[in-house]
Amino acid sequence: MRVALLFNARPMQTPDSLPEDWYEEYDKPETIAAVAFALEGIGARVTPLPFDRCLPRKLDEGSYDFVFNIAEGHGRRCREAVPAAICELLGIPYTGSDPLTLALTLDKWLARRAVSPEVPVARAAKIESDADVPALETILYPAIVKPNDEGSSKGIRSDSVVSDAGEAADLCRRLRESYGCPVLVEEFLPGTEVTVGMAGNGKSTRLLGMMEVAPADENEQFVYSVEVKRDWRNRVRYYVPPRIDQGARKEVERLAMTAYVLLGCRDIARIDFRFDGNGRPRFLECNPLPGLDPDNSDIVLLSKRDIAYDHLVQGILLAAAGRNGVSLS
Ligand SMILES: Nc1ncnc2c1ncn2[C@@H]1O[C@H](COP(=O)(O)OP(=O)(O)O)[C@@H](O)[C@H]1O
Ligand SMILES: [Mg+2]
């Protein structure tokens, strides 16, 4: 089977005009090579194709049987939907969620609205323009201020936790200017952070694993910020399974399954939760294109006790092939 591997490569340099974490969600060459190697292990003939303006033509002329999609696209909240939409245009089956789910989940505000009330979320305000600033008075502080249409902790730093509406308004203005998107101000959830891997479709949807993400220094107020993620070896401890009781684990599993279905996820996704001050889990966001870095992506870490990296990657293609009624031979 001929498989096109769609990706966005991480540039070596970020222009001074952009925030320095602008390319954080794009893949390193090592990740693209590791995914290709895993797919070749089940007989796929893999051609890596970068996401650019030539992609539709290259895909159309390449006689590919399938697309393995890890491309994040360019632009704002629809960017992740574009590579999948190109596959739809050309009628080539592809791994992962469809454009609607990819766009919906990249807009954190809309994703929260789609999953709640079945899956609880923290109270929040979306600030798109100065006219929205009064909404900052409707939530309780401390709160966290994050770009609404970003991922990989872009724009989330140690100073993203604010203690009142005035500080929130200042940070919203700065984030809107630098990231060019609305900002989500969400009540700060002080409890344990858990991320959940989900895989499969329909009746064979299953939990891949669940992992607590905790600070190496337990006295620190933890935010899995871009600086902390980059320095994960020193600043983060990962616990599989999470250090929460079995009842809480079951509840998070049920909520993750519900969110996966409500958001229309396919083949794979990683869903982040955090516990509030009363010990109740709250949905943060869903990642239907989870990072697949073999060394440090959360979905790899949370599943590696049970699933080797190559099997994890192969499982995505197998799930997508099964969904499309395509044989891998
Ligand atoms: N409401 C919140 N309360 C406490 N921490 C939060 C909250 N929202 C986000 N965070 C912290 O910021 C990190 C990144 O936020 P998240 O919403 O998952 O965005 P991203 O798409 O960038 O991963 C989370 O892993 C968590 O540590
Ligand atoms: Mg996250």
Side-chain angles (χ1 to χ4, degrees), residues 270 272 285 287:
R270 214 196 74 237
D272 296 342
E285 55 127 10
N287 303 280

mmCIF file of all heavy atoms in Angstrom, residues 270 272 285 287, ligand 2:
data_model
loop_
_atom_site.group_PDB
_atom_site.id
_atom_site.type_symbol
_atom_site.label_atom_id
_atom_site.label_comp_id
_atom_site.label_asym_id
_atom_site.label_seq_id
_atom_site.Cartn_x
_atom_site.Cartn_y
_atom_site.Cartn_z
ATOM 1 N N ARG A 270 -6.045 12.554 22.227
ATOM 2 C CA ARG A 270 -5.610 12.677 23.632
ATOM 3 C C ARG A 270 -6.426 13.785 24.268
ATOM 4 O O ARG A 270 -6.602 14.857 23.673
ATOM 5 C CB ARG A 270 -4.130 13.029 23.667
ATOM 6 C CG ARG A 270 -3.390 12.427 24.847
ATOM 7 C CD ARG A 270 -2.059 13.109 25.041
ATOM 8 N NE ARG A 270 -2.288 14.412 25.601
ATOM 9 C CZ ARG A 270 -1.884 15.562 25.058
ATOM 10 N NH1 ARG A 270 -1.192 15.588 23.957
ATOM 11 N NH2 ARG A 270 -2.168 16.706 25.654
ATOM 12 N N ASP A 272 -7.230 16.183 27.680
ATOM 13 C CA ASP A 272 -6.641 16.683 28.932
ATOM 14 C C ASP A 272 -7.728 17.067 29.934
ATOM 15 O O ASP A 272 -8.722 17.714 29.570
ATOM 16 C CB ASP A 272 -5.809 17.951 28.655
ATOM 17 C CG ASP A 272 -4.618 17.693 27.757
ATOM 18 O OD1 ASP A 272 -4.217 16.520 27.620
ATOM 19 O OD2 ASP A 272 -4.085 18.678 27.202
ATOM 20 N N GLU A 285 -9.185 20.196 27.188
ATOM 21 C CA GLU A 285 -9.159 20.265 25.726
ATOM 22 C C GLU A 285 -8.922 18.879 25.158
ATOM 23 O O GLU A 285 -8.505 17.964 25.875
ATOM 24 C CB GLU A 285 -8.064 21.223 25.251
ATOM 25 C CG GLU A 285 -6.705 20.869 25.790
ATOM 26 C CD GLU A 285 -5.639 20.730 24.735
ATOM 27 O OE1 GLU A 285 -5.876 21.078 23.568
ATOM 28 O OE2 GLU A 285 -4.556 20.240 25.074
ATOM 29 N N ASN A 287 -7.109 16.726 21.821
ATOM 30 C CA ASN A 287 -6.098 16.795 20.753
ATOM 31 C C ASN A 287 -6.289 15.624 19.795
ATOM 32 O O ASN A 287 -5.766 14.540 20.034
ATOM 33 C CB ASN A 287 -4.696 16.686 21.366
ATOM 34 C CG ASN A 287 -4.452 17.755 22.405
ATOM 35 O OD1 ASN A 287 -4.143 18.886 22.063
ATOM 36 N ND2 ASN A 287 -4.620 17.419 23.676
HETATM 37 MG MG MG B 2 -3.137 20.352 26.407
#
